Amino acid sequence: MRDRFSLDQIRTFVAAAEEGSFSAAARKLGRAQSAVSDLVRRLEEELGVELFDRSARFPRLTPAGNLLLRDARAVGGAVDFLNFRARGLSEGIEPELWAVVDVYFPFQAITEAARDFRQRFPATPLRLYVEVLGAATEPVLDGRASFAVAGGPGPLPPGLSGEPLAGVLMAMVASPDHPLAGFKGVIPRDELAKHVQLVLTERARRPDEREYSVMSPTTWRLADLSAKHAFLLGGLGWGSMPLHAVAHDLAEGRLVRLATPEIPASGLVAPMAAVYRAAAPPGPAGRWLIERLKAGSSAETQITPN
């Protein structure tokens, strides 16, 4: 079945409605006003409805025109999306980008980068997952994810390459009524060992799971950073947190900093890197997002992973 109207007519109708007059639409489209008027008139004839009331000085949308304007915009948007996606595919842009982010990485930086990504690659859906520690690289290793923002010291798994991002400042904290909160200076290890340490852990426990700054034989392990945060506020233990996640709590006295043998009261920068398979580096969209994260990370210190 052949369509009775053209995309040109639909775009002209939308322009006339949005600009408020045929002359303004003509200027926006770079066409003669007579051509705009003719395209809208022919569309009305093909649809069998009047889109504009022309009885006043400026044309006004009729009730039918108001209703059909939403459909016309949807048609124009769908065609734009089709063009964006086809052009992207011809340029090698990924049809979908799947990335994984370490839970410690500032999500404000991810949000800002994603906002710019949507404008730069409107036809490329972004699939983003948040994982803990070594779990962030697993989807990259098995080929599901294009890249991961992963943290932690030590060598990368075989087959992976990394590019440094701004590190995340970590701090040891506890609630102000916790027994450790009253210590001045560096707290001895034997004193830390007397109290429950809250440790962030991967959901699926693995034999090769790495642990960082665990200084107490008594640990409560949580696979969710928000749960660890809540437990710290509740005085159920002490532990490390990314400073950006507890800055307000520290400023308002809900948490206090601790000085430990591994992390001073001033904090310690945890390295972060964009990690991907050496044999299958990210495509144009993934590469752009990595560079955007490099430029937009808020931490002042960058540490290159070993």
Side-chain angles (χ1 to χ4, degrees), residues 14 68 85 96 100 160 174 181 199 211 248 251 257:
V14 172
L68 292 176
R85 174 160 287 180
E96 180 182 62
V100 188
L160 296 184
V199 178
E211 293 184 336
H248 290 300
R257 294 200 194 198

Side-chain angles (χ1 to χ4, degrees), residues 16 20-22 52-61:
S21 72
F22 295 151
F52 289 97
D53 178 356
R54 297 169 173 80
S55 60
R57 178 180 178 184
F58 295 105
R60 293 176 297 176
L61 284 169

Side-chain angles (χ1 to χ4, degrees), residues 130-303:
V130 178
E131 292 290 354
V132 176
L133 304 173
T137 59
E138 288 184 1
V140 178
L141 284 167
D142 63 24
R144 287 176 292 154
S146 176
F147 74 92
V149 175
L156 293 172
L160 296 184
S161 294
E163 300 179 23
L165 300 174
V168 175
L169 187 60
M170 304 294 296
M172 282 293 186
V173 297
S175 68
D177 57 356
H178 191 279
L180 294 177
F183 275 81
K184 304 298 181 182
V186 178
I187 305 172
R189 286 182 179 273
D190 59 352
E191 189 62 36
L192 293 169
K194 297 177 183 178
H195 305 277
V196 172
Q197 182 176 357
L198 302 177
V199 178
L200 194 67
T201 186
E202 298 174 21
R203 289 179 175 83
R205 182 78 183 196
R206 300 179 301 166
D208 62 342
E209 181 181 349
R210 293 175 289 178
E211 293 184 336
Y212 310 109
S213 303
V214 176
M215 289 171 274
S216 173
T218 306
T219 59
W220 285 13
R221 298 178 180 274
L222 303 100
D224 182 85
L225 189 63
S226 296
K228 182 178 180 180
H229 187 192
F231 276 32
L232 287 165
L233 290 170
L236 297 177
W238 61 277
S240 63
M241 285 289 287
L243 186 60
H244 65 82
V246 295
H248 290 300
D249 299 308
L250 292 170
E252 298 175 8
R254 291 187 294 269
L255 291 173
V256 297
R257 294 200 194 198
L258 306 179
T260 69
E262 293 194 12
I263 298 182
S266 59
L268 181 70
V269 175
M272 288 283 165
V275 178
Y276 48 84
R277 285 178 293 156
R287 168 48 51 193
W288 184 94
L289 186 54
I290 290 173
E291 295 300 328
R292 177 61 179 78
L293 289 173
K294 286 182 180 179
S297 297
S298 59
E300 296 180 356
T301 304
Q302 288 194 346
I303 296 181

